[in-house]
Amino acid sequence: MLGLPLEPHPRTDAGARDYRAAFRAAQAAMALVTPRGTVVAANAALGALLGADPAQLNGTDAADLVDLASDARTWQAYREVLDGRRPRFRCTRRLKHHDGHALWVEVALAPVPDSANVLLSVSDISDWRELQARLRHLQMHDPVTRLPNRALFFERLSAALEASTYERGGTGRVGLCYLDLDGFKAVNDTLGHRVGDRLLTAVATRLTRCAEQNGYGPGGGHLVARLGGDEFALLVEDSTGTDQLAELAQTVLTALQQPFDLAGQRLSVSASIGVVERPAVGTTATGLMQAADTTLYWAKADGKGRWTLFDPERNAHRMTRQALSSTLRPALERGEFVLEYQPLVDLEGGLVRGVEALVRWRHPQFGTLAPNRFIGIAEEDGSIVHLGRWVLRTACRQARRWQLEHPEAEPLFVSVNVAVRQVWDSDLVADVAEILAETGLEPGLLQLELTESAVMGSAGRPLQALQALSDMGVLIAIDDFGTGYSNLAYLSRLPVSVLKLDGSFVRGFQDEAHPNPADETIVEALVQLAHRLGLTVTAECVETAGQAARLRRIGCDTGQGWLYSRPATPDRIAAMLTARG
């Protein structure tokens, strides 16, 4: 048997001689190892593989021969095979040939039947490993720019965030510059993808140069990767702080601002860069990339051709906005919206003539939210149509209830804000007619407010809707007048009943000791113009008696503001009606 000594023995039979001959002549590199780990026989193939005389291998330690003691796990498995506690073991090792070149081998150990010895076999897998390395390089690198691709980038990023990386004396921080070329699609569309690919390659070269220039510090150089399309990333492992990332981002912007000469085609491009730098502890690859992507969006939104540093406060606002956007529609169904009403007071007599309905969102997480926190979101995603219809119906129903509960008091009109999208995306005229009929509120007790920028220049459907509502008897008011187009010539052709002066005009009246004559002149001119056109004027943001007196003196009709009341619940308005009665 192969487990017997390979020297002549009186009892050796022909079969044993055949085994010994096969062992020595085999193309596979093998050795016989004792339970103590000593090589007692090695064949010629093993000697050739290791560059040694097979006879010289006898008596050597097998673990030293094929580097089995370099890590604890491999050493433990090797000892278990020698002790008979493990049936077999296989591992890959990198060895050094006697002529200096390195080779990769696969080492296998298995017990020899009917023997205490173990058979060690060694296979040269260097060619296979080289092929694997080439395939991995192709798999992990972008074919156009030759830069690492998204897969390799995330592999390196994940490794940089592992605890073992920063426990070895690094800075414990990581930085990222995430950039996107501004207007790259136009290059592809006008000059073709071949020129576009040349531009990407040239950009990659400049980015690599910038990274090499900036790559100082404990971590050495930086990783430059193409993540796809015209998106690139510069990963800074062991970053030294935001100053280093800011310097790198500015270096990149400066480098890319220089024109590119692509085979006679001269091109100029710019880039937007999102910059993130933070401790590696507690940071995930997904979280870092989300922050970088958000910051890149900010850089583009702020004007492109710039770098922007991640701002936690700005991101928190974005996350809040996202959370509100995703829950707005369900919140309406759950009844989380309520209306408050702010009185509109006759400046001459001091009586409450009407109220403006102001929607509030009682959010279970963020508390009570004012309209400026969610109306813009509702307009963007289209839910303003459903919300606006709810506000209109609720306000009209409440105005009618006050009228029925206080027949002795002059009925209050209710003013409701309307977004332009409500006019375009729904039949506002039909909605108003249906709600008035349903609630029994007279059309003259409903006032619809649209912003000046929405009303001025209206044409087609919006103008037709305003005219139909006016013909119905509904009052139309222009909100925040004086801050938008202020197209006075067009104003006379609109079916408008009321102008609401923007609060910025009234705030100019606050310094009663040193009033600005120009403010009063402007407001007086607007009031006179409105009166000549048959319109009434409401002043917003009236906070002091002095402001009210000056507005009354120049002829303003109605005031609205904290001087009279903050937005109040329906019960508070009812109490005002009782007091007035």
Side-chain angles (χ1 to χ4, degrees), residues 498-509:
V498 180
L499 295 185
K500 296 189 73 175
L501 295 183
D502 184 70
S504 59
F505 291 106
V506 179
R507 279 190 288 269
F509 289 7

Side-chain angles (χ1 to χ4, degrees), residues 86-230:
R86 187 184 182 113
R88 59 184 54 83
F89 173 66
R90 188 185 301 270
C91 66
T92 301
R93 279 290 178 268
R94 188 174 185 269
L95 306 179
K96 192 172 183 179
H97 198 270
H98 76 286
D99 63 4
H101 80 271
L103 69 154
W104 284 93
V105 297
E106 184 179 75
V107 179
L109 293 106
V112 176
D114 302 326
S115 171
N117 295 330
V118 172
L119 182 65
L120 170 74
S121 59
V122 184
S123 305
D124 186 354
I125 60 171
S126 299
D127 291 342
W128 180 82
R129 290 281 299 200
E130 183 179 354
L131 176 61
Q132 288 296 104
R134 290 178 181 176
L135 292 175
R136 173 176 167 77
H137 187 274
L138 291 174
Q139 182 183 10
M140 295 293 189
H141 286 75
D142 172 50
V144 176
T145 62
R146 309 295 183 185
L147 290 177
N149 61 13
R150 177 180 289 269
L152 181 53
F153 169 79
F154 274 99
E155 185 178 288
R156 281 281 298 273
L157 176 57
S158 298
L161 296 175
E162 288 180 0
S164 58
T165 301
Y166 49 83
E167 286 176 353
R168 290 197 298 261
T171 64
R173 305 187 67 85
V174 63
L176 179 64
C177 289
Y178 184 30
L179 72 93
D180 177 276
L181 299 181
D182 300 325
F184 177 73
K185 184 177 183 298
V187 175
N188 273 341
D189 291 345
T190 58
L191 302 177
H193 288 271
R194 178 171 297 182
V195 175
D197 287 349
R198 288 176 181 170
L199 176 59
L200 292 174
T201 302
V203 167
T205 300
R206 292 192 186 180
L207 294 180
T208 302
R209 190 180 305 125
C210 291
E212 291 172 350
Q213 293 172 356
N214 186 266
Y216 55 83
H222 309 325
L223 176 72
V224 182
R226 182 189 177 200
L227 302 187
D230 60 335

